[in-house]
Amino acid sequence: MKTILTSSVAKASEIILKNNLAAFPTETVYGLGANAYSSAAVKKIFIAKGRPSDNPLIVHIGDIGQLPSVISKIPLFAEKLIAEYFPGPLTLVLPKNKNISSLVTAGLQTVGVRIPNHNIAQKFLKECGVPVAAPSANISGKPSPTTWQAVQQDLNGKISCILKGNPSRVGVESTVVDCTGKTPVILRAGGVTLEQLREIIPSTRLSRLTANGKVKSPGMKYRHYSPLANVVVVGGVKETVPLKSSAYIGMEKTKENGFGVKRICRTKEEYAQALFHFFRECDAKKIETIYCEQVSEEGIGLALMDRIRKASL
Ligand code: AMP
Ligand code: MG
C-alpha cells in the first residue's frame, strides 16, 4: 500500500470516509484514525498496529456538538470536567452510543471520548463529520509517535495517509478517566493532571486493581512505549555508566559528555514532551541502555513516570 503524506485536511478526511486509515497530529501524540461507525475500518487499525483486539480505542471528535453521536448518558461531574478541560488531553469513559462499533470498545458498553486541543486535528475531525476512533499511530508496544516522521517510520506502507503537523506539544497520551461510577477514577495518567481534576472534582482518585484482579482499563496490562534499548530508572547522573552505547535524559544538569545521546530538560513538561522522541533517537543511534532520571510524581510527573516505568519493564 502507498502511504500518502499530506497537509490537506480535506484529503485525509476523504480517506476516513472511504473507511481507510489516516494518521493525524494531536497535542498529545499522533493518532491513527478510522471511522468509528465502521467495523471494517476499525479492524484495519488493529491489523496495522498489531494491537491486541481486547484493548479499546479512544473516539475523537472535533467539537462538543458531536458528543451525542458517541455517548448515551453523562453524569453531572463529567459535564463539569468537560466544561473545564475539553478540548484537551483528557479522555472520558462514558456509556456508549449504540452506533459506535463494538470493535472500538472491545465489546465494552462504555467508550472513551476526547476532543483534541489542536487546530489541525479539530479541522480534520470536523471535516470527517463521523466520530474517529484513534489509538496512537505506532506499532503496538513501541514508543508513541510525537512527529509525523515517527509515524512514517512505524506505519509506512501499512496505512493510507499521514496528515502532517508539528511535533506534539504535550508528548504523552491523554488522561483516561472512568466516569461510569459515582466519582471520577483515573485509569491512565496523562496530559491533564490529578491535581487539575481534583480542582473541579475533589473526590477524583487513581484506579486500583479491582477485587478479582481484573484491570478496568484493558490497555493498562500491556508492556508499552518501549524502545529497543534497555530503559533504566535512576536517581541521578551518579547512578549511570556514561558510555557511547548509553544515553541519559533527565532534569539534573551534568557536564558528563561520555553518553552517546544526552538530553537535559528544564521542566517536567519539557521532559514529557521529549521522552518518546528521545527513545526513538536512541534506537536510531543503536543505544543499548537509556538512563531516565526519576522525577516526583506531582503534576505531569505522574504520567511521565508511568510511561518510563512501563518502558523499563
Ligand atoms: P491508546 O489508544 O493507545 O491511547 O490507549 C487507549 C487507552 O484507553 C487504553 O489504556 C485503553 O484501555 C483505554 N480505554 C479506551 N476505552 C476504554 C473504555 N471504554 N474503558 C476503559 N478503558 C478504555
Ligand atoms: Mg498507544
Side-chain angles (χ1 to χ4, degrees):
M1 178 187 307
K2 181 161 168 34
T3 303
I4 305 165
L5 259 181
T6 184
S7 298
S8 160
V9 159
K11 213 179 243 176
S13 61
E14 235 171 70
I15 282 166
I16 293 291
L17 292 175
K18 285 186 182 146
N19 293 337
N20 286 317
L21 304 185
F24 61 100
T26 84
E27 80 278 30
T28 57
V29 302
Y30 275 66
L32 178 59
N35 178 356
Y37 287 154
S38 162
S39 294
V42 172
K43 198 169 170 192
K44 292 177 186 173
I45 290 181
F46 288 94
I47 294 169
K49 282 186 58 107
R51 182 173 172 111
S53 60
D54 66 347
N55 191 2
L57 309 175
I58 292 168
V59 173
H60 293 69
I61 52 177
D63 64 44
I64 289 282
Q66 286 180 287
L67 210 49
S69 64
V70 181
I71 60 161
S72 58
K73 222 171 34 199
I74 183 160
L76 184 63
F77 73 80
E79 272 180 26
K80 289 184 183 167
L81 294 177
I82 287 173
E84 190 68 25
Y85 297 119
F86 270 28
L90 177 66
T91 296
L92 299 184
V93 172
L94 291 160
K96 85 179 198 63
N97 179 306
K98 62 177 182 351
N99 293 332
I100 298 294
S101 162
S102 62
L103 275 186
V104 170
T105 62
L108 298 172
Q109 289 309 308
T110 58
V111 62
V113 64
R114 171 169 115 82
I115 305 177
N117 186 8
H118 188 284
N119 194 260
I120 298 173
Q122 284 182 11
K123 278 195 187 134
F124 162 69
L125 292 165
K126 282 180 198 165
E127 187 96 9
C128 288
V130 297
V132 172
S136 50
N138 54 292
I139 296 290
S140 244
K142 291 269 159 214
S144 300
T146 54
T147 63
W148 62 261
Q149 291 92 338
V151 178
Q152 203 176 33
Q153 224 176 37
D154 274 20
L155 297 175
N156 196 31
K158 296 184 171 170
I159 63 176
S160 298
C161 169
I162 300 172
L163 178 58
K164 288 200 276 183
N166 288 332
S168 299
R169 180 173 51 76
V170 178
V172 291
E173 295 82 351
S174 62
T175 308
V176 179
V177 177
D178 181 10
C179 295
T180 60
K182 288 209 165 57
T183 57
V185 177
I186 296 181
L187 302 177
R188 176 179 75 185
V192 171
T193 66
L194 172 63
E195 294 86 344
Q196 284 174 317
L197 293 168
R198 282 187 174 157
E199 270 174 37
I200 309 301
I201 311 290
S203 59
T204 303
R205 64 173 178 82
L206 294 171
S207 83
R208 303 179 282 267
L209 288 182
T210 52
N212 60 8
K214 269 198 186 156
V215 278
K216 191 128 196 226
S217 182
M220 304 286 279
K221 65 180 188 244
Y222 294 106
R223 181 168 187 259
H224 257 84
Y225 321 118
S226 304
L228 297 172
N230 199 18
V231 172
V232 179
V233 183
V234 293
V237 179
K238 61 184 181 306
E239 294 174 21
T240 69
V241 184
L243 295 169
K244 275 276 156 276
S245 61
S246 70
Y248 170 81
I249 183 166
M251 293 176 62
E252 185 193 340
K253 288 202 187 94
T254 172
K255 293 211 167 68
E256 177 54 63
N257 278 325
F259 298 110
V261 195
K262 183 175 82 172
R263 173 74 194 259
I264 312 296
C265 309
R266 279 160 304 166
T267 61
K268 282 195 274 196
E269 283 73 18
E270 191 183 319
Y271 192 168
Q273 203 270 332
L275 184 76
F276 289 142
H277 182 73
F278 188 79
F279 282 173
R280 284 176 180 268
E281 186 187 348
C282 288
D283 278 352
K285 294 194 171 141
K286 306 242 177 336
I287 296 295
E288 288 165 16
T289 305
I290 304 173
Y291 297 106
C292 296
E293 189 197 353
Q294 187 166 13
V295 295
S296 74
E297 299 194 18
E298 281 132 39
I300 195 73
L302 185 68
L304 177 56
M305 287 313 299
D306 168 71
R307 304 307 186 271
I308 291 174
R309 245 183 256 114
K310 288 216 178 79
S312 75
L313 290 178

